[in-house]
Amino acid sequence: MRNSLILTFVFLMSGLFVSAQNADRQAPQGFDVEKKDIPHGKIDSVQYESKTVGTTRKALIYTPPGYKKSNKYPVLYLLHGIGGDEKEWYKNGTPQIILDNLYAQGKLTPMIVVLPNGRAMKDDRATGNIMAKDKVEAFATFEKDLLNDLIPFIEKKYPVKKDRENRAIAGLSMGGGQTLNFGLGNIDKFAWVGAFSSAPNTKEPQQLLPNPQKAKELKLLFISCGDQDGLMSFSKRTSDYLTANKIPHIFYIEPGGHDFKVWKNDLYIFSQMIFKPVNQEVNDLLKSE
């Protein structure tokens, strides 16, 4: 049974902005249940040298069903929350199952998904006081690790397309804040940005985009949050700033709190939008079924 949700859809169209649409857009029942009779992608663990941190770091890599080294793929960097690590999405969000099921329905552009540890410090485990100052600061340090160490490693080891239009970043909670901070701070590196339930690490809008018109270079800016999430204000203030400056984006408010039920649904939606012509795909996803 589909749930009704509130969606604010802001998109530039012949100089006009359209907002405050109501739509049904919840993943169907079973979208995150493993199906044995379809092709499956593969999850691998990799290690890369981080000059930023001064150590060897870990990440998980999802390659799609039918993956071939002779092909070239776009890449999605998918970030976790403050209490997680590179395995948080894998353990709690089952992205490999969600994506496998979407591939079986022909709804995704084949892509490689990188699930890194966004806590860029030598002891990057999610142990002890996860709110400690050095651990929180390590989430900001990850920007350099991502740009200078991880992305070059992926582009050397895997057959990926290396231009910004084939590079996406998304994340949940602390990773949602990282997504906005890094994605909007490096529009020359990312063309697709998806921030799910962004946390207080999100920079103030004027810091995120001192030149808001720069964001018009993005292919897609997707911001989402559960309607019962106590961190809603960080997503809303960003969307309000974008709207005030007439920047095309989607602000998606859905039923739920600060949890993986919301974030799995966000991945389901966002993954179908990226690496495709934006206008038609957005319209297809927002129309009632």
Side-chain angles (χ1 to χ4, degrees), residues 51-256:
K51 293 180 181 178
T52 300
V53 180
T55 189
T56 300
R57 310 200 69 230
K58 295 179 180 179
L60 296 185
I61 311 292
Y62 168 86
T63 49
Y67 171 75
K68 295 179 181 179
K69 292 184 178 180
S70 58
N71 292 344
K72 293 282 189 180
Y73 297 88
V75 186
L76 166 62
Y77 292 86
L78 187 60
L79 312 182
H80 61 81
I82 194 170
D85 56 23
E86 73 276 5
K87 295 182 179 178
E88 183 182 36
W89 267 104
Y90 176 70
K91 290 178 178 178
N92 301 295
T94 60
Q96 72 283 6
I97 295 175
I98 294 170
L99 299 178
D100 283 351
N101 292 343
L102 286 169
Y103 280 120
Q105 299 173 61
K107 292 185 175 181
L108 296 187
T109 297
M111 70 186 83
I112 291 173
V113 182
V114 181
L115 300 101
N117 186 325
R119 188 183 298 98
M121 57 192 304
K122 288 187 176 179
D123 183 359
D124 59 7
R125 297 173 298 166
T127 57
N129 179 11
I130 60 173
M131 301 295 291
K133 185 173 183 291
D134 60 338
K135 293 188 177 183
V136 171
E137 289 175 349
F139 279 85
T141 303
F142 181 64
E143 180 174 7
K144 292 182 180 178
D145 181 68
L146 173 65
L147 297 177
N148 299 333
D149 301 307
L150 181 55
I151 289 177
F153 168 81
I154 295 298
E155 293 183 346
K156 182 177 180 180
K157 185 175 177 63
Y158 290 89
V160 301
K161 299 176 180 179
K162 300 179 181 180
D163 58 288
R164 64 178 291 275
E165 294 190 358
N166 285 288
R167 196 180 295 126
I169 186 169
L172 65 90
S173 192
M174 197 74 163
Q178 287 176 310
T179 292
L180 290 174
N181 295 345
F182 305 166
L184 299 184
N186 297 278
I187 293 174
D188 60 324
K189 299 291 194 298
F190 302 98
W192 313 82
V193 175
F196 314 154
S197 310
S198 299
N201 63 318
T202 308
K203 293 178 181 178
E204 292 281 348
Q206 293 81 3
Q207 291 179 290
L208 280 174
L209 281 170
N211 176 14
Q213 299 308 307
K214 180 75 175 173
K216 290 183 178 179
E217 297 176 15
L218 293 170
K219 292 287 187 181
L220 177 66
L221 176 50
F222 177 92
I223 299 170
S224 63
C225 197
D227 59 6
Q228 300 301 311
D229 192 328
L231 299 183
M232 169 68 79
S233 61
F234 300 100
S235 297
K236 186 177 185 301
R237 76 183 185 190
T238 304
S239 176
D240 288 348
Y241 179 77
L242 295 168
T243 300
N245 286 280
K246 299 184 178 180
I247 303 303
H249 70 288
I250 292 172
F251 183 33
Y252 176 88
I253 304 173
E254 59 194 297

